[in-house]
C-alpha cells in the first residue's frame, strides 16, 4: 500500500487473510477518513460551494477515496 498498490492476487486460498490484513486500513486512516467525511457533510449541510477542513480543500475525489476506505472491513 505504501507504494500505491490497492490489492493483489492470491494463488491459494490460504493467502487471502494475509493480503486482507496487509491492505486493510488501520485505525488512524479510518479516523482521518471519518473526520474528512464529517467535515464534508457539515459543509454541504451549510450549503457551502467550497468545503475547507484544516486548511485543505475537500475535493470530490478525496471524499470518494474516504468513502471507499471506510467501506473496507
Amino acid at each position: 500500500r505504501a507504494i500505491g498498490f490497492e490489492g493483489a492476487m492470491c494463488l491459494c486460498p490460504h493467502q487471502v487473510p494475509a493480503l486482507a490484513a496487509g491492505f486493510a486500513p488501520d485505525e488512524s486512516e479510518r479516523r482521518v477518513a471519518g473526520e474528512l467525511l464529517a467535515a464534508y457533510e457539515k459543509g454541504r449541510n451549510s450549503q457551502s460551494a467550497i468545503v475547507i477542513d484544516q486548511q485543505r480543500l475537500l475535493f470530490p475525489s478525496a471524499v470518494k477515496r474516504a468513502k471507499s476506505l471506510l467501506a473496507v472491513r
Side-chain angles (χ1 to χ4, degrees):
R1 286 184 48 221
I3 60 172
F5 288 101
E6 293 184 2
M9 290 180 55
C10 299
L11 296 177
C12 300
H14 73 275
Q15 296 171 320
V16 172
L19 287 174
F23 285 102
D26 62 28
E27 281 305 311
S28 66
E29 291 172 308
R30 290 181 151 298
R31 181 184 45 76
V32 169
E35 291 171 356
L36 184 144
L37 288 177
Y40 180 75
E41 289 303 320
K42 182 179 176 184
R44 286 192 58 199
N45 291 338
S46 67
Q47 298 180 349
S48 176
I50 298 173
V51 180
I52 300 174
D53 177 49
Q54 298 178 7
Q55 299 181 350
R56 63 182 176 192
L57 287 172
L58 300 184
F59 291 101
S61 59
V63 173
K64 182 178 177 182
R65 174 76 177 136
K67 286 180 179 179
S68 66
L69 188 142
L70 291 174
V72 175
R73 297 280 172 220

